[in-house]
Amino acid sequence: MNVRRLIPTTAAAGAVALGLTALSACSTSDAADGGNGDKLKVTASFYPMQFLAEKIGGEHVAVTSLTKPGVEPHDLELNPRQIGSISESDYVLYLKGIQPAVDDAIKQSGVKNTVDAATLTTLENHGSEVSGHDHGHEGEEKHADEHADEHADEHGHEEEAPEEHSEGDGHNHGEEGGADPHIWLDPVKYAEVAKGVGKSLEKADPDHAADYKKNTDALVAELGELNTAYETGLKNTSTKTFITTHSAFGYLAERYGLTQQGIAGIDPEAEPSPARIQEIHTIAEKEKATTVFFETLASDRTAKTLAKDTGLRTGVLDPLEGITDKSQGADYIEVMESNLSALQKALGAK
């Protein structure tokens, strides 16, 4: 992720993600698009949205992703043809604040059924250090369910998004003052989003509402099993602290009582300062942290530099912004399971 480009182009990136998904991504929906007939034409901004649309929509949708496999979503740029293609969609699913270009393109597209996943759950602010030890979720989940119901009824329309998700929120990727958009890395929040997406698809295509509900229930159950696996697998560990080049795991850390230590803010390729390296070294010693995690779509240079300077190991913790042949799994569920294994090893699960 390039922080210098991310902040000024958040709105542009979002639009880009949508456009690329529809026109450039080689997904199953592209194949279906050739003879989609009466299938609902769905545009998804990037992989986490594409996965939901395909799992819930099933055989009734033709999904295209604006972000091609291997492309860093935040760096997405849309050409005029891609922007125009968004307006031809029956339904658009995106996450405001991740891709500014997509956000802008959707706003101008005139598509009736535009769903912002950020309105289907509760966004929070996360810094580079995130602890989940003092947070409860019961009230939050109840609120999120009501929130999802309300906005699914409204089709998640951009203009109807709540004030707290207005333009600018989320652009700082968890830095002070910005809402953290990485909701899909918490299986519970992702399930809340899935419920909202399912309800909005039922309204957009009522003829197939029963199938959308069935598919939603199946996916929510699968995400529930994933959540249980994380709860069980991370319950007893030697340490609760993990170090990452990309501060994307705030929701995951909070959900499972862990502490995320980000090296250099939101840019996973930024060189950490000598002071931060020393600070991470001190934290690692105190908290018995063992591993510096990097991601699949960014350079491992920062992680290796820090690991060499502090005597720590390196490993992959995938923020799941895209699936490539380098991913540790074929889809969201498999990569999240791989992330769990990586965390268990790094944290000394017992």
Side-chain angles (χ1 to χ4, degrees):
M1 176 190 314
N2 189 318
V3 67
R4 291 176 294 281
R5 272 185 284 173
L6 172 61
I7 295 174
T9 59
T10 301
V16 175
L18 282 173
L20 288 181
T21 303
L23 296 171
S24 306
C26 297
S27 68
T28 54
S29 40
D30 291 305
D33 204 35
N36 61 15
D38 60 352
K39 289 188 178 184
L40 199 71
K41 293 182 180 179
V42 176
T43 293
S45 57
F46 71 132
Y47 178 71
M49 302 298 102
Q50 176 188 340
F51 179 77
L52 289 179
E54 291 177 343
K55 293 286 283 186
I56 296 172
E59 64 183 7
H60 303 303
V61 299
V63 184
T64 43
S65 173
L66 293 174
T67 310
K68 292 192 293 184
V71 172
E72 220 293 337
H74 308 278
D75 296 337
L76 186 63
E77 297 177 3
L78 296 173
N79 63 41
R81 178 169 170 263
Q82 292 167 334
I83 293 173
S85 74
I86 297 172
S87 62
E88 299 173 3
S89 304
D90 299 314
Y91 179 103
V92 176
L93 179 60
Y94 73 116
L95 179 56
K96 189 174 182 179
I98 285 283
Q99 297 168 299
V102 175
D103 296 348
D104 280 352
I106 292 173
K107 188 181 297 185
Q108 299 168 18
S109 69
V111 176
K112 177 184 177 182
N113 295 306
T114 59
V115 178
D116 174 9
T119 67
L120 302 178
T121 187
T122 312
L123 268 66
E124 301 167 8
N125 292 340
H126 292 138
S128 60
E129 176 183 351
V130 180
S131 174
H133 295 278
D134 302 322
H135 297 275
H137 296 280
E138 185 175 347
E140 171 192 311
E141 289 169 14
K142 180 179 178 182
H143 169 71
D145 282 340
E146 294 169 352
H147 205 46
D149 290 350
E150 173 188 348
H151 289 282
D153 288 345
E154 296 171 357
H155 300 298
H157 217 300
E158 178 82 17
E159 290 80 0
E160 296 164 343
E163 181 100 13
E164 62 265 29
H165 302 307
S166 61
E167 187 170 345
D169 286 352
H171 296 194
N172 293 329
H173 244 225
E175 286 195 325
E176 185 176 357
D180 183 353
H182 298 89
I183 49 178
W184 66 91
L185 291 169
D186 174 353
V188 176
K189 283 191 173 292
Y190 200 45
E192 291 168 359
V193 173
K195 291 176 185 177
V197 170
K199 289 180 179 179
S200 65
L201 279 172
E202 289 176 39
K203 289 184 175 294
D205 183 17
D207 289 346
H208 301 112
D211 285 345
Y212 295 140
K213 186 178 189 311
K214 178 181 177 182
N215 293 343
T216 299
D217 290 345
L219 177 56
V220 168
E222 197 171 6
L223 293 172
E225 292 175 1
L226 182 65
N227 175 51
T228 299
Y230 266 78
E231 286 182 335
T232 304
L234 298 174
K235 187 173 184 179
N236 296 309
T237 58
S238 298
T239 179
K240 296 294 183 183
T241 299
F242 64 98
I243 301 166
T244 176
T245 55
H246 184 182
S247 298
F249 301 91
Y251 291 108
L252 185 150
E254 184 176 0
R255 178 67 58 190
Y256 304 110
L258 306 177
T259 299
Q260 170 187 240
Q261 286 286 349
I263 297 173
I266 65 175
D267 188 347
E269 298 183 27
E271 291 289 348
S273 67
R276 183 56 176 163
I277 289 177
Q278 182 55 48
E279 186 177 13
I280 290 291
H281 183 60
T282 301
I283 291 170
E285 284 189 338
K286 181 181 179 182
E287 303 297 334
K288 297 183 173 59
T290 65
T291 306
V292 180
F293 287 114
F294 60 95
E295 60 183 91
T296 51
L297 294 183
S299 169
D300 61 359
R301 180 182 59 195
T302 299
K304 287 185 174 179
T305 298
L306 182 60
K308 181 179 180 181
D309 291 341
T310 59
L312 302 175
R313 299 193 299 262
T314 59
V316 172
L317 199 61
D318 196 330
L320 264 160
E321 294 178 344
I323 294 287
T324 70
D325 56 4
K326 294 181 180 180
S327 299
Q328 302 296 307
D331 64 10
Y332 172 87
I333 299 294
E334 289 187 4
V335 175
M336 283 293 285
E337 290 172 342
S338 176
N339 280 348
L340 173 56
S341 296
L343 282 168
Q344 287 178 301
K345 180 179 179 181
L347 298 176
K350 300 171 184 177

